[in-house]
Amino acid sequence: MLLTVFSFIVFTLVVYGISYYKTRNVNTHTETGYFLAGRGLTGWVIAASLMLTNLSTEQMVGLNGQGYTDNMSVMGWEVGASLALIVVAFFFLPRYLKKGYATIPDFIGERYDTVTKQVVNWFFLFGYVLIFVPIVLYSGAIGLSGIFDLEGTFGITKMQGIYVVVWSIGILGIIYTLSGGLKIMAIADTINGIGLLIGGLMIPIFGLMYIGGGNPVEGFSVLVEAVPEKFNAIGSSSDPVPFATMFTGMFLVNLFYWGTNQTIIQRALAAKDLKEGQKGILYAAILKLFGPLFLILPGIIAFKIFGPGLEMSDFAYPMLVKAVLPWFLVGFFAAVLFGAILSSFNAGLNSTSTLFTLNIYKEYINPKASQDELVKKGKLAAAVLAIFSMIVAPMIANAPNGLFDYLQTVNGFYNVPILTLMLIGMLNKKAPAISAKITLAIFILVYGTTQLTAMSGGFKAFMAGGMADPAALKGVAAFFYNNLPAWFVQPLFSFSSIHYLHILAILFVICSLFMIAMGHFYPSKNEYEDALDRHIVDTTPWRKAVPVSIAIFCCVVGLYILFSKLGIAA
């Protein structure tokens, strides 16, 4: 155990030391230098930073938890992201870099108006502060406390172990934030990315060796024969990710996440030029194709080893790591996993401080603030958020339906609504600002009502029984049923029973048509200049982007065919 902890500490300190050394001469006393790494990131650095920001423990713990309870159909989040990244590389990124935007709300403000910009800005802030950053800490705590067996080693409770890890991650995250902003994070991500790729692939390999008596190929054959239903990539309508959602809400959520989510896209906004930005995004799309191997397959292996009786599916992954990984590699794996957690945590801190400092402090509190003062306020905002998140994170315990599904459901309150504004704003020059405000209000109100209803006690049983047993209803659903007219309740309940990703897609279509109609009848007076290039960076596209994108698309189709046939053949 002591050797494991020692190797963990050494690797973590080496990554920080190299990252600090590489960025010691970078000017981080300006807003561009601190928040956007001086707009100097290259393709591989962007790809590594995108992957490490994305591949934290809410992915490794959450998706493997769904692999344990369900089947390969949840790989839609991973391989589907590759398709979304292609759209980002060709559609979103050129527009962002031409205008030199530092934040996504900058586009909203220029396209619509200042009020809409601030509304979207606050949605991002609330989403990061209350959902994203605390979940990164909580999921990280589950993974690391399970690997290190903090309860058994130190004689503490599971919740105390979570608190210890949460505060350890948070404190080191503050140190990174104060040291050098986005640049030092991007360098650390590149180093940790190599380690995570190696470490992440070690788990399924050793897991298959565990099952196959030392032979991973034999282990895979045994696994497919033992649980063939787990290799069904298409799945059914009752799975957390039905295949049909690939063409509806899942694609929209992936498009938001990779193309308009400040935490992610800030890496690409810091690109040296469009060519390097497109390289980074498409390299990341290639890496996402390997996601099922270390984000879902280990969960299926855990099901084979431990059986279906785990108390919480989110403990499947850390239990598997502890069971199959040789003791001399546990410290290394924990270190790279810690690096992935730090990357996502720091990304949340950096993006939140960027949104607060540039869109609130600079615009409303102190418009005359110097560059150095803006950086200081950004660091202060990040530190405050880190402390708040360390307090909130342990409260996420006992999240319903698994950690990852919970995260995606809650994110639906603001992700696709913002994407709607972005897409219509770029494709339709006439939609007025008032249509954007109404869209946000309607989208959030309707989606929120359906999800509160769907998550109420007894709702699923009530719908499965043909709405025949009102006594089964509890909470919000019972209140609606008892206090609202039947002509309203029945359609509401029917709509609420639809998968949340389909609901997001339906609302996206309705709200998009509404905004287009508003643009036709009440066109905006200020037409947005989409083609304007402010020449902040070179916007010449990467000449290999098209063939690389075609290859990625073919690989996505091939993966679905492969895994679906594995399930059927077995």
Side-chain angles (χ1 to χ4, degrees):
M1 181 64 187
L2 289 177
L3 184 59
T4 297
V5 174
F6 177 75
S7 60
F8 166 78
I9 293 173
V10 168
F11 187 87
T12 302
L13 291 178
V14 166
V15 171
Y16 176 76
I18 294 174
S19 303
Y20 182 79
Y21 178 79
K22 288 283 188 180
T23 59
R24 68 192 188 283
N25 296 323
V26 175
N27 180 13
T28 59
H29 296 286
T30 65
E31 59 181 84
T32 301
Y34 182 78
F35 297 115
L36 291 175
R39 295 190 188 273
L41 298 187
T42 55
W44 278 113
V45 174
I46 292 170
S49 195
L50 286 172
M51 291 300 294
L52 262 290
T53 300
N54 170 243
L55 288 181
S56 187
T57 41
E58 82 273 6
Q59 298 273 55
M60 302 187 82
V61 170
L63 272 177
N64 276 303
Q66 289 198 322
Y68 171 84
T69 56
D70 298 288
N71 53 35
M72 193 61 76
S73 64
V74 295
M75 80 177 196
W77 290 116
E78 291 302 300
V79 297
S82 298
L83 300 179
L85 281 162
I86 294 173
V87 178
V88 174
F90 285 94
F91 182 77
F92 287 105
L93 187 63
R95 288 168 167 80
Y96 294 153
L97 295 185
K98 282 180 181 179
K99 300 299 180 72
Y101 294 134
T103 70
I104 296 303
D106 288 342
F107 167 79
I108 297 292
E110 189 172 334
R111 171 59 183 82
Y112 298 107
D113 60 16
T114 303
V115 174
T116 310
K117 172 184 177 178
Q118 288 304 324
V119 170
V120 170
N121 195 69
W122 279 105
F123 275 137
F124 274 126
L125 287 174
F126 280 123
Y128 296 154
V129 171
L130 299 178
I131 303 172
F132 176 73
V133 178
I135 282 181
V136 166
L137 285 179
Y138 172 71
S139 61
I142 288 179
L144 290 175
S145 62
I147 291 171
F148 284 120
D149 188 23
L150 296 180
E151 303 103 86
T153 304
F154 298 104
I156 59 179
T157 66
K158 186 172 291 184
M159 186 55 67
Q160 288 172 335
I162 288 174
Y163 271 104
V164 169
V165 178
V166 161
W167 281 83
S168 300
I169 298 169
I171 290 171
L172 190 55
I174 292 174
I175 293 173
Y176 265 93
T177 298
L178 298 179
S179 297
L182 183 60
K183 185 68 174 181
I184 190 173
M185 296 174 196
I187 297 298
D189 288 348
T190 304
I191 302 169
N192 279 315
I194 298 171
L196 186 64
L197 187 62
I198 296 171
L201 290 175
M202 284 194 312
I203 305 306
I205 291 173
F206 280 108
L208 294 173
M209 289 173 64
Y210 185 96
I211 296 173
N215 186 334
V217 177
E218 178 64 24
F220 187 74
S221 298
V222 171
L223 185 66
V224 174
E225 291 175 5
V227 286
E229 71 280 0
K230 292 286 187 180
F231 289 90
N232 185 357
I234 303 300
S236 66
S237 59
S238 61
D239 288 322
V241 184
F243 182 67
T245 62
M246 282 284 292
F247 309 99
T248 59
M250 183 190 291
F251 182 73
L252 295 174
V253 171
N254 271 327
L255 203 55
F256 164 83
Y257 182 84
W258 295 100
T260 63
N261 181 1
Q262 182 70 30
T263 301
I264 290 293
I265 200 64
Q266 191 161 333
R267 273 82 185 124
L269 295 179
K272 179 181 178 181
D273 50 40
L274 178 58
K275 176 183 175 181
E276 293 300 320
Q278 288 182 324
K279 279 184 182 180
I281 289 173
L282 293 177
Y283 290 162
I286 294 171
L287 293 174
K288 292 299 286 182
L289 296 173
F290 294 91
L293 295 179
F294 54 89
L295 290 174
I296 303 168
L297 183 59
I300 299 175
I301 295 172
F303 182 86
K304 174 66 175 67
I305 294 175
F306 305 121
L310 293 186
E311 181 182 353
M312 286 182 62
S313 62
D314 291 329
F315 289 125
Y317 188 69
M319 285 180 63
L320 179 70
V321 172
K322 187 179 174 183
V324 306
L325 201 63
W327 63 269
F328 55 87
L329 290 175
V330 172
F332 164 73
F333 179 76
V336 296
L337 186 60
F338 190 80
I341 300 163
L342 268 178
S343 175
S344 296
F345 180 64
N346 288 335
L349 297 185
N350 186 256
S351 295
T352 303
S353 65
T354 302
L355 292 168
F356 171 79
T357 305
L358 300 186
N359 292 339
I360 296 176
Y361 183 81
K362 183 180 179 181
E363 288 194 19
Y364 295 100
I365 299 175
N366 189 1
K368 297 181 180 180
S370 65
Q371 293 286 299
D372 192 55
E373 184 176 356
L374 289 174
V375 172
K376 289 180 179 178
K377 295 302 180 184
K379 291 180 178 181
L380 178 61
V384 171
L385 169 62
I387 294 171
F388 176 82
S389 299
M390 287 185 270
I391 296 171
V392 171
M395 301 178 186
I396 302 173
N398 302 319
N401 300 323
L403 183 64
F404 192 79
D405 197 53
Y406 166 79
L407 174 64
Q408 298 299 341
T409 304
V410 176
N411 279 342
F413 280 92
Y414 73 96
N415 55 17
V416 180
I418 292 175
L419 176 66
T420 306
L421 267 58
M422 297 292 294
L423 284 175
I424 297 302
M426 291 177 178
L427 296 173
N428 184 292
K429 297 182 179 181
K430 295 182 179 181
I434 186 64
S435 69
K437 298 182 183 68
I438 295 173
T439 289
L440 288 175
I442 292 176
F443 211 121
I444 294 167
L445 178 63
V446 174
Y447 179 77
T449 301
T450 62
Q451 295 313 296
L452 288 173
T453 303
M455 290 187 289
S456 295
F459 177 76
K460 289 185 178 179
F462 177 72
M463 295 302 296
M467 297 185 172
D469 185 15
L473 295 173
K474 298 177 182 178
V476 173
F479 176 82
F480 286 163
Y481 187 88
N482 294 324
N483 294 278
L484 296 176
W487 61 264
F488 179 82
V489 170
Q490 290 186 2
L492 170 64
F493 279 26
S494 297
F495 194 47
S496 298
S497 65
I498 300 173
H499 195 282
Y500 75 92
L501 289 173
H502 288 318
I503 292 176
L504 288 173
I506 293 169
L507 290 173
F508 169 77
V509 172
I510 293 173
C511 290
S512 296
L513 292 175
F514 166 74
M515 292 186 70
I516 293 171
M518 287 287 287
H520 178 75
F521 293 106
Y522 306 98
S524 175
K525 295 179 181 179
N526 300 317
E527 192 169 289
Y528 178 69
E529 291 294 334
D530 184 63
L532 177 65
D533 190 340
R534 296 191 173 115
H535 301 289
I536 294 175
V537 298
D538 182 10
T539 54
T540 303
W542 183 32
R543 61 185 180 85
K544 296 181 181 178
V546 173
V548 169
S549 299
I550 293 172
I552 292 169
F553 178 82
C554 293
C555 287
V556 169
V557 175
L559 281 172
Y560 266 97
I561 294 173
L562 171 65
F563 283 113
S564 298
K565 283 193 172 183
L566 275 176
I568 295 170

